Every structure is written in structure tokens, then in C-alpha cells.
Amino acid sequence: DDRLSAMALALGKNFRDSKKEKVKKEVVTAIYSYAVNTLCSLSEAILHVRYGNMEKEDEQVKQYVEEDRKLIAPVIKKYIDYKKERRYIDYDDMLSVVATQLERDEALRDAVTKRYRHVLVDEMQDTNPLQYKLLKSFVKGSHLFCVGDDAQSIYAFRGADFRTIHSFTEIIPHSEKLKLLLNYRSTQEILDLSNWALGQSPLRYDKKLEAHRGKGEMPSLIHVEDDWEEADLITDGILDHVAEGGRYADTMVLGRSVWSLSKVEGACLSKKIPYVKYGGTSLMQSAHVRDVASAMRIVANSYDEIAWIRFLQLWDGIGEIKASRIISRVITLATFAEMIASLQQFDGMEINAAIPATLAAVREYNDRPAQAMEAAVKAMQPMLEKKYREEWTSRASDFEVLREVARSSGSITEFITEYVLDPKAETTFKIGAKETEDAVVLSTIHSAKGLEAEIVHILNINPASYPSSRTILQGEDAIEEERRCLYVALTRAKNSLKLYRNIRSLHTQYTDANQHEQLYFLNNLPSQLVRIVINGQEKRDLPTPFKPTQGQADFPDFDFG
């Protein structure tokens, strides 16, 4: 990407932030782009991109933002000057320059806007302030026809402004709002639940969808012990559906994040269920998985030069040249033991002792691939933590999933062949591609907008997830956007909708101090809207949430006599 290359030149090789941490070119580019698209200050953009999950009014956060601003501002100025000197424009400039010129130059504005009698804007709820700035120039000279759904405005993290559609008639003079309330996708029971969820918002959406298709199956609220039970229930249900003549493609599984889909993805791999994934990298194609797999590939085939190249270059001080020198020597040796010994006593080059130690540890579990993966992760963890930094915690959880997948293989070689090297893993399980027409869809909610399926499973609808802790910190606007995310997820289903949450949510203590429970989107859910399943059995009503009494408990008298 040319823009990232230009930003890298502006950053230089050793740019550090206020906490002396290296800042990636992608982060500074995201900050710049967010500021341009939302017409906000650099400080606001830094706060959103870098510290969005922290308390905005925290004095420490304010200090970080201001210190980062002083460091990042010269970099962005350098980037802008670089573009001006070479007469380059990036995608944001294409919008910004035109919108600004139309706003400032009345003659130009009249000449351009009067060429178009009618302007149609689709997905109006996703427009950001910069796009709206461009659109405003057409208000006077053209007729605007804007199509959108304020209940599906879920891209604030990209700069989308909910108000451009929700308050359209207040912003655009003499405008009229026409509501399309007849839904052709879902059955009425699914829409009843969706309407209720949206109706709990303090914002007034003033809409109630009706199903053209009429009545159907009641949505299910299913309680599970943990994420693994959730994944097993879903994938077993998929297999049953296919055995009864259905298609894999009839099913969609939705999660709030790529990470939340990992257990289901692991279960699909174990049960040979074909899937496509939207919203992130496929588990088997993830960089951190490939890093660990490189050590296992070497153990499976010690002459695999591609695996050696990847594995060696993970470690500090080893680039392409050093890696090539090491490989050219070790692959001439007859046994794996000799290779390990050579790495321990490598003439003319100091090699990190963790390199041979990792390979030796993995080799100990040649016929137990799950334990081999565990050994590899343990040995490589300090290096991987350094490489992936703040992402490591979420990435590390993927190995728990892969260990379960590996248990079905009899050896490291079998695991590598079937899940890492097998072309089927590159096609059937590839992200979003159309290599197979019949595949389950795994998707984040944000990536599912516009999609639909006969059967939809929505994961982890628990307190502390809807809304999340981060969302609560960001305030009411973010909380309401997350409510709209849930609404989008619910309305993807055509015939069958299944919601999953942890059984412990039934026993949550609802106290005034516990914001997660007080703000939970399924509080006061009418039991007639869902089929309630607890421990595999259908229940008529949900248990009443436990609300402790105020004050200290009264202890019984103790007889000291």
C-alpha cells in the first residue's frame, strides 16, 4: 500500500510514542484517516484509535494523548508535505479536497451540483462527517434521495455518524421521511424479538417491523456451561441439519469479534465442517499459528526449508542471510539429533539457546500433537509476546482451540499434513472466498450486515458482552451502537434464530453498583418472545435474577457459654 509506505518514510525507523513503545505505520495512518474522515482534532483521533478502551476523562489518559499528539503531529505534517511536494493524493484526499473546494467556491459548487437533478445515496447510516460535508453541497441544487436504516448504524469506529440518518429531517430543510416497515426476510417471531430489543433504547426509532412471510419458529435462548459446549451444540446441530437434507450454507454463526468465533471454528475443523469466515483471518492462516506450526513442521520434516526460514527469522538477530547460512548447514546432517546438536554448537555464529530447545521440546511429543503444540507455545512465548505485544493475550487463546483440534490426530506429521499443508485447508476453510458454494458462514456482526441465512446462531449474549466493558467506558452513544449491533445480528435470520449465553448469567447479582447487569440488553426479556432452554430442557420462564438486600448480613447469635 503506497499510503503506508509514505507514512513509514515520515515515521522513520525508530519512532517511539510517549511510553517509549514503537508505533506502527498502520496506527499513525489510522489516526490520520480518522481525523480527516470525522473532521475532528488530532487529539480526539488519538484518543479514539489508541485509547478507545480506557476512561476518556482519566487524567493519565489525557496526559498520554497530549504527549502522543506532540510526537505524532510532526510525523503527519511530514506525510502531508510529502504528498504535496510530489502531487500525490490518497483516498481520504479524494473526498476531502473535493468537499472543501465545493464548500468554499460557490461558482464551482453551482457548476458541479446543477449537473445532477437527483442524487441517490444508499446506506446513508454509514456516512461519516467528511462524506456528509461533500453531500451538503448538493442540498440546494439537487434533490437528495437517501436510503438507510438508523437501527443499522454500527460503524462509528470507522467514523460513521448515526445522526445523519436518525435526525435527517431535522438536518435537511423541507425533507420528508418514508418508512419501509414490511420485512420480506424474517418470520414474525424473529421480528417480534428484534422489535423488542430495539424498543428498549432510550432513542426513539419509531419503527416496528412486520413480516410479509407471516409466523414461524420461536427464537431460542439457550444456556450453556462454557464456550466449548456452545461450539459443540452449534456444530452438532449443523451436522444434524445436513444429515436431514439441509445445506451447510443454510447456517450462519455470528460473534462480536473474530476471537469469539474461535471455538466454533475449532469445532468445525475437528468435525470437518466446511466454512467461510468474514471479519478476520482464518485460524489456520493466522500469523501466530503459522509461527508455532513452523516448529512443528520442522519436527515433522527436518528438510522443510520453508518451515526453517520462517522459524529461524522469528528470533532476534536472524535475518534472511543468517537463516540461509544456518539452513545450508543443518539440512546436510543425517539425523534430527545431529541438527539440534549443530544448533547448540554452531561455529562462527551465536544462536539463541531457545531455538534448539524449542525444537527438542516439540520432538518429545512426536505422537502427541496437542502436547507438542503446548510445548512449542511455552518455549516460544517470550518471543511471541514481544512480537505481538498487546495482541498476544487474544492470539494465545487460539492455541487452546487448536490443541482440541490436534487431539484428533495421531502424530505431529498427521496434524501438519491435514490441517496446515493440506490444500483443502487452504480452500474449504479459506476466508470469505467462494471456493466452495456449500459452507457455513462464520462472521463478526459488523461483517454480516447485508447477509442472511436460514439458521442464525448468535454467540455469547451475556452480561458484560452486551454491552461490553469497553463500550460502557465510551458512554451512551457507544452503548446504543452496540444495541444496534445486536439488532443487526437478530435480523439476519430468516427461519431459525438461536441465542446462546452462559448459564451463570441466570445467577448474576443485580446491584446498583454493577453496571454490566444494570445495562444488559436482555434485562426484562418477556418469556413469550423466546423458547428458553436450560440444561437441555425447555422452561416456561427465566428464573428471577438474584438481587441482594442492602446492608450487612445478620449473623446468628453465638453461644460463648
Side-chain angles (χ1 to χ4, degrees):
D1 184 278
D2 293 339
R3 181 164 70 164
L4 289 177
S5 298
M7 188 63 79
L9 288 173
L11 271 172
K13 290 185 177 180
N14 298 305
F15 183 79
R16 297 286 192 278
D17 66 6
S18 57
K19 299 192 288 296
K20 307 303 179 187
E21 294 179 354
K22 193 167 183 178
V23 180
K24 294 180 180 179
K25 59 184 180 292
E26 292 86 356
V27 173
V28 180
T29 302
I31 290 169
Y32 171 71
S33 184
Y34 186 84
V36 172
N37 280 280
T38 61
L39 308 179
C40 74
S41 68
L42 178 57
S43 295
E44 290 173 298
I46 292 170
L47 177 64
H48 174 83
V49 174
R50 298 208 73 197
Y51 304 101
N53 62 340
M54 299 175 70
E55 178 58 58
K56 295 180 181 180
E57 299 304 317
D58 185 278
E59 290 302 320
Q60 185 67 64
V61 173
K62 290 181 180 180
Q63 183 180 336
Y64 286 151
V65 169
E66 177 56 22
E67 291 174 356
D68 284 354
R69 186 195 64 79
K70 292 176 182 176
L71 292 167
I72 291 173
V75 173
I76 290 178
K77 185 179 185 305
K78 211 169 172 181
Y79 171 73
I80 294 171
D81 290 343
Y82 177 88
K83 292 189 294 179
K84 286 180 178 178
E85 289 167 8
R86 290 159 180 80
R87 301 181 68 81
Y88 291 159
I89 62 171
D90 58 27
Y91 179 75
D92 294 333
D93 294 329
M94 292 171 66
L95 293 176
S96 182
V97 171
V98 173
T100 300
Q101 289 302 112
L102 289 177
E103 184 180 63
R104 292 176 179 175
D105 191 329
E106 185 176 355
L108 177 65
R109 183 170 63 250
D110 288 345
V112 172
T113 60
K114 287 182 179 178
R115 294 179 63 188
Y116 307 99
R117 288 185 60 194
H118 302 281
V119 176
L120 170 63
V121 182
D122 197 12
E123 302 290 359
M124 181 67 181
Q125 75 278 355
D126 296 334
T127 54
N128 61 42
L130 175 58
Q131 293 166 333
Y132 185 68
K133 178 181 176 180
L134 175 62
L135 191 61
K136 273 200 306 184
S137 294
F138 291 84
V139 170
K140 186 176 179 182
S142 308
H143 292 98
L144 290 183
F145 188 85
C146 301
V147 182
D149 185 353
D150 52 357
Q152 296 193 44
S153 180
I154 60 173
Y155 292 120
F157 66 94
R158 293 181 187 168
D161 188 348
F162 166 74
R163 290 165 295 188
T164 58
I165 182 70
H166 188 68
S167 305
F168 186 81
T169 53
E170 299 168 24
I171 298 171
I172 305 297
H174 314 299
S175 58
E176 182 182 1
K177 184 185 296 183
L178 302 174
K179 295 183 181 181
L180 304 177
L181 300 177
L182 190 60
N183 179 287
Y184 289 85
R185 172 185 296 157
S186 308
T187 57
Q188 190 60 52
E189 285 78 1
I190 292 170
L191 295 182
D192 286 343
L193 178 58
S194 305
N195 288 334
W196 174 84
L198 193 64
Q200 302 308 296
S201 170
L203 301 175
R204 293 187 59 197
Y205 291 92
D206 293 330
K207 69 176 66 180
K208 192 172 182 181
L209 298 180
E210 295 183 10
H212 177 266
R213 297 175 54 211
K215 291 188 172 296
E217 176 185 313
M218 182 80 72
S220 296
L221 179 60
I222 301 168
H223 296 79
V224 294
E225 289 289 343
D226 53 35
D227 293 348
W228 283 113
E229 183 184 2
E230 180 180 61
D232 276 335
L233 283 174
I234 291 169
T235 49
D236 286 347
I238 292 169
L239 293 174
D240 290 344
H241 176 72
V242 171
E244 293 168 2
R247 302 173 69 241
Y248 289 111
D250 292 338
T251 299
M252 180 188 298
V253 183
L254 299 178
R256 282 292 284 114
S257 65
V258 175
W259 175 81
S260 69
L261 295 164
S262 62
K263 302 292 193 303
V264 176
E265 186 174 3
C268 285
L269 285 167
S270 293
K271 298 175 184 180
K272 307 297 186 293
I273 295 173
Y275 67 90
V276 290
K277 187 176 179 184
Y278 299 102
T281 304
S282 171
L283 193 60
M284 299 308 299
Q285 306 305 314
S286 301
H288 57 294
V289 172
R290 290 286 181 176
D291 291 342
V292 171
S294 66
M296 299 177 71
R297 285 176 61 179
I298 291 169
V299 171
N301 175 13
S302 56
Y303 300 100
D304 184 342
E305 291 190 37
I306 294 174
W308 275 108
I309 288 169
R310 180 169 195 134
F311 177 70
L312 290 172
Q313 289 189 97
L314 291 170
W315 307 87
D316 286 343
I318 300 181
E320 288 184 24
I321 296 174
K322 279 190 177 181
S324 296
R325 283 180 58 196
I326 294 170
I327 293 166
S328 64
R329 185 180 303 183
V330 296
I331 64 172
T332 63
L333 301 173
T335 67
F336 188 79
E338 288 176 341
M339 292 179 180
I340 296 296
S342 174
L343 291 171
Q344 292 168 335
Q345 299 288 331
F346 204 90
D347 295 336
M349 189 188 304
E350 187 174 339
I351 294 179
N352 189 330
I355 293 175
T358 299
L359 297 175
V362 173
R363 181 62 181 269
E364 288 291 317
Y365 301 100
N366 196 35
D367 58 349
R368 287 170 287 170
Q371 286 91 331
M373 179 176 292
E374 188 172 357
V377 172
K378 183 177 180 181
M380 297 169 72
Q381 183 165 333
M383 175 268 293
L384 293 171
E385 282 182 341
K386 185 176 179 181
K387 178 181 179 180
Y388 294 107
R389 295 180 179 274
E390 64 272 9
E391 296 178 1
W392 173 245
T393 301
S394 59
R395 286 177 181 264
S397 63
D398 288 341
F399 294 110
E400 178 188 349
V401 176
L402 288 175
R403 281 198 296 272
E404 291 299 316
V405 174
R407 292 187 199 284
S408 62
S409 300
S411 67
I412 292 176
T413 301
E414 184 182 331
F415 173 75
I416 292 297
T417 302
E418 186 165 6
Y419 294 105
V420 181
L421 301 180
D422 186 353
K424 185 171 65 175
E426 297 282 343
T427 55
T428 306
F429 302 140
K430 197 169 183 179
I431 324 169
K434 296 182 179 178
E435 289 83 357
T436 173
E437 293 183 0
D438 190 20
V440 173
V441 171
L442 307 184
S443 178
T444 62
I445 295 173
H446 282 97
S447 298
K449 201 151 77 73
L451 302 179
E452 63 182 22
E454 299 288 332
I455 305 164
V456 171
H457 303 268
I458 307 178
L459 306 177
N460 302 320
I461 304 195
N462 301 312
S465 295
Y466 287 90
S468 66
S469 301
R470 173 175 178 167
T471 299
I472 291 171
L473 284 175
Q474 292 175 329
E476 184 177 350
D477 287 348
I479 290 170
E480 289 310 310
E481 172 151 326
E482 198 144 282
R483 192 190 306 275
R484 294 193 292 272
C485 277
L486 177 59
Y487 176 81
V488 166
L490 296 172
T491 53
R492 298 310 91 196
K494 296 170 72 175
N495 294 322
S496 177
L497 176 62
K498 300 180 189 298
L499 288 68
Y500 298 82
R501 68 177 183 180
N502 196 289
I503 198 167
R504 287 189 293 277
S505 63
L506 294 173
H507 311 296
T508 300
Q509 294 187 17
Y510 284 72
T511 67
D512 293 338
N514 196 330
Q515 280 188 300
H516 292 129
E517 281 68 41
Q518 291 297 317
L519 297 171
Y520 181 41
F521 295 154
L522 295 191
N523 280 344
N524 306 311
L525 173 65
S527 58
Q528 67 267 23
L529 293 181
V530 291
R531 173 176 165 264
I532 300 163
V533 180
I534 302 173
N535 295 326
Q537 297 183 338
E538 187 170 347
K539 303 289 183 181
R540 179 171 296 180
D541 295 300
L542 288 168
T544 302
F546 170 58
K547 187 165 185 177
T549 56
Q550 299 297 314
Q552 294 185 343
D554 292 327
F555 283 90
D557 293 334
F558 182 78
D559 185 357
F560 288 93

